[in-house]
Amino acid sequence: MTSTAQGAGPTRRERQRQATFDEIVEVARRLLREDRDVSIRAVATEMGLTAPALYRYVDSHAELLTLVARAIFVDVVAAMTVARDQHPDDDPAAQIIAGVAAFRTWALGNREEFRLVFASPPSPEAEANAHKPLLSLGDCAPEEMGAREFGTFFADIFGRLWVTYQFPVPADDDLPTGVLEALTGDDAEHKLGSPATGSPVTPGMLWLFERAWARIYGTVTLEVFGHVHPGLITSGALFEATVLDIGTDLGLADEWDRLRAVVRS
């Protein structure tokens, strides 16, 4: 993109180019939500362009999906942030429950977008047998999609949750075989807060965080794809029970009467 003079706003050409980028992403997301083909050619056709013309803005299909995924992550984090900010910072229990409840609400209302950014890439066999090409983010880097911002949203609250409730954290020697090695590395520090929060960024804390996320993600995924009884989805009973199970492990059982209302809201 052409640079502008220091202090000057974007040029007309830059504004037009950005508007085209925004339209590309919005058209691709609309096709995705409508369960239609999200290829370069399909997006170009919907915009009244040729595929070569669209390649002036997007280098590849992988880049197109990366742009779409980034926009989706921005939206879901924004929805969770609105829910979190309805509760004060000194109530991380309500904040994290409001966040996961907002994530579930977004997922149930945006099933195709959830499928793209949160479902596992399809196997080659599944793609070969599909009625149309299946979307996969296998070639897209998580940091380019905005996945780290999604994880950081929960990691920050989780660290503050420990500061408030001091729930037990497994020692290294108590972790299951293979967990210590898997959760020890150069990137462990950024996953859960920072020393400034007072949270112990240890393999045990990361293990608790990963287990909590796995249960939330697993429950929401089952609901999104309709793999549980419809009544358990519409009532929210399965999700509420999952959150209660996690909350009990994190020392929140005594506060469940008030936190249940946060889940249901």
Side-chain angles (χ1 to χ4, degrees):
M1 184 174 292
T2 305
S3 61
T4 58
Q6 185 175 4
T11 66
R12 183 171 182 270
R13 172 178 288 185
E14 289 170 337
R15 292 195 302 272
Q16 290 175 332
R17 186 171 181 82
Q18 184 60 53
T20 302
F21 270 116
D22 294 343
E23 185 181 0
I24 290 170
V25 173
E26 182 50 43
V27 168
R29 290 183 68 179
R30 176 164 53 79
L31 293 175
L32 176 63
R33 290 190 292 265
E34 295 171 357
D35 196 22
R36 295 165 61 190
D37 183 22
V38 191
S39 65
I40 292 285
R41 183 175 300 277
V43 173
T45 299
E46 198 74 10
M47 294 177 64
L49 302 173
T50 64
L54 198 66
Y55 276 116
R56 294 168 54 191
Y57 299 90
V58 179
D59 291 337
S60 64
H61 188 239
E63 183 181 356
L64 173 65
L65 294 185
T66 298
L67 293 172
V68 170
R70 186 182 303 154
I72 292 172
F73 272 117
V74 167
D75 281 359
V76 68
V77 171
M80 296 188 306
T81 299
V82 169
R84 178 201 66 192
D85 291 348
Q86 294 179 16
H87 306 276
D89 287 343
D90 61 0
D91 190 2
Q95 284 192 334
I96 201 165
I97 288 176
V100 298
F103 168 66
R104 173 182 182 262
T105 298
W106 173 86
L108 291 175
N110 299 273
R111 295 172 189 265
E112 293 302 326
E113 294 192 334
F114 175 91
R115 184 194 300 271
L116 176 65
V117 298
F118 289 103
S120 298
S123 66
E125 294 78 11
E127 184 161 2
N129 295 325
H131 70 284
K132 63 182 179 66
L134 296 174
L135 296 177
S136 170
L137 289 171
D139 296 330
C140 307
E143 60 272 15
E144 295 176 356
M145 297 186 297
R148 176 165 294 184
E149 287 77 5
F150 178 85
T152 299
F153 174 90
F154 286 117
D156 170 70
I157 308 175
F158 197 85
R160 290 189 287 111
L161 194 70
W162 182 85
V163 172
T164 301
Y165 292 93
Q166 300 285 307
F167 47 81
V169 176
D172 290 357
D173 291 343
D174 295 329
L175 294 173
T177 302
V179 170
L180 181 60
E181 180 179 354
L183 297 180
T184 302
D186 294 337
D187 65 340
E189 183 77 6
H190 81 267
K191 291 182 179 179
L192 281 180
S194 66
T197 68
S199 60
V201 186
T202 66
M205 177 64 81
L206 293 173
W207 177 233
L208 290 179
F209 182 73
E210 295 285 358
R211 288 173 58 198
W213 166 242
R215 284 184 280 181
I216 290 294
Y217 171 76
T219 299
V220 171
T221 301
L222 288 172
E223 292 184 313
V224 166
F225 294 129
H227 293 324
V228 294
H229 191 286
L232 300 181
I233 301 174
T234 56
S235 68
L238 180 61
F239 178 75
E240 183 177 322
T242 300
V243 175
L244 174 58
D245 289 343
I246 298 170
T248 299
D249 291 345
L250 302 180
L252 305 179
D254 291 343
E255 298 194 48
W256 189 245
D257 285 345
R258 76 176 182 89
L259 295 176
R260 181 186 287 111
V262 178
V263 179
R264 294 178 177 179
S265 66

